[in-house]
Amino acid sequence: ATDDKGVYFAWTGTSRLGNSSDDPRFIFKTGFALDMQYRSNERDRSRHAVQGDKRLVIAKHKDTWVAMLYDYVNPSASAKEAVEFSSPWLTTTIARVTPIPDDAVKIVFKAGVLGVNLAPTMPGQKKPAKPTAKGTTAWTAEVFIAWSALGLSPGQTIRADFGVLSADSSGMRVDTRRYWANNEYQTVGDLAAEAMLNPRAWGTVTLGGAAKE
């Protein structure tokens, strides 16, 4: 859902919920998180990251929910702002990684509640959680992000994907990555690969309209 102020997202599922991050720039690696990846230029079908490609990761960092924005290609970013995520085989460089300011984001996370659908603004759309696998918790997340923080506008059509990163049993790292559009194998255990984008596997979303894979 959208309004003149921003976009309202909702996720629901069952997962292990821990996140052990010491540095919030790494929250996509260290446990449970919500993930949105998007390209502002819907017509650009490049396989690799281009200007306007961003990733929004929402997770709990030291008992506080944070929303981190990964801006992959930004000519206005200085070299000092670039962050490298490296593994023995690969390095993924992101031009700028910053937290979304508190006045541009609102996160409501409820553990033990499984949403009926993904409409966060409609009342009465929740029911008691169903039985879950051992060690997992049913949950619902509702998130508001201001247009200005995302660099998007009402009615815009974008390429995008939405996912959930589930923690392992220790709550120390990501165990599984599942996405709405990208059904390809999702690497875990490799920092650089987990930091990469795969735009060719994303779907099409009109902000305020229907999503299409």
Side-chain angles (χ1 to χ4, degrees), residues 86-171:
S86 297
S87 66
W89 330 109
L90 181 70
T91 294
T92 298
T93 302
I94 302 176
R96 180 182 286 158
V97 182
T98 54
I100 290 183
D102 290 345
D103 61 356
V105 59
K106 182 177 180 181
I107 302 165
V108 178
F109 188 88
K110 297 180 181 179
V113 176
L114 191 64
V116 174
N117 60 33
L118 299 184
T121 59
M122 296 179 64
Q125 296 295 316
K126 306 238 173 51
K127 63 181 180 181
K130 296 179 180 179
T132 61
K134 184 177 180 180
T136 64
T137 301
W139 53 268
T140 295
E142 300 172 0
V143 179
F144 165 81
I145 306 287
W147 292 115
S148 57
L150 293 171
L152 302 173
S153 56
Q156 185 174 350
T157 297
I158 61 174
R159 298 280 295 168
D161 206 355
F162 303 87
V164 176
L165 314 180
S166 294
D168 65 358
S169 58
S170 69

Side-chain angles (χ1 to χ4, degrees), residues 15 24 28 31 41 52 84 101 108 110 132 140 172 182 200 202 210:
S15 311
F28 65 86
N41 182 359
E84 294 185 344
V108 178
K110 297 180 181 179
T132 61
T140 295
M172 298 292 290
N182 184 358
R200 67 184 179 85
W202 296 348

Side-chain angles (χ1 to χ4, degrees), residues 4-141:
D4 61 340
K5 296 182 177 65
V7 189
Y8 299 81
F9 302 101
W11 286 260
T12 188
T14 56
S15 311
R16 294 185 174 91
L17 300 181
N19 194 306
S20 63
S21 70
D22 287 323
D23 183 335
R25 296 176 300 176
F26 291 81
I27 57 173
F28 65 86
K29 175 65 178 171
T30 51
F32 175 79
L34 308 174
D35 196 354
M36 175 190 176
Q37 304 172 7
Y38 63 98
R39 170 170 287 173
S40 58
N41 182 359
E42 183 269 337
R43 293 191 179 95
D44 191 327
R45 299 304 172 99
S46 302
R47 294 170 59 92
H48 303 293
V50 298
Q51 186 175 351
D53 285 3
K54 298 179 181 180
R55 183 181 189 182
L56 174 70
V57 182
I58 299 162
K60 210 168 190 179
H61 170 66
K62 297 185 182 297
D63 297 323
T64 301
W65 286 95
V66 297
M68 300 296 296
L69 190 67
Y70 300 76
D71 190 352
Y72 279 74
V73 180
N74 188 332
S76 68
S78 69
K80 292 181 179 180
E81 292 179 282
V83 182
E84 294 185 344
F85 299 94
S86 297
S87 66
W89 330 109
L90 181 70
T91 294
T92 298
T93 302
I94 302 176
R96 180 182 286 158
V97 182
T98 54
I100 290 183
D102 290 345
D103 61 356
V105 59
K106 182 177 180 181
I107 302 165
V108 178
F109 188 88
K110 297 180 181 179
V113 176
L114 191 64
V116 174
N117 60 33
L118 299 184
T121 59
M122 296 179 64
Q125 296 295 316
K126 306 238 173 51
K127 63 181 180 181
K130 296 179 180 179
T132 61
K134 184 177 180 180
T136 64
T137 301
W139 53 268
T140 295

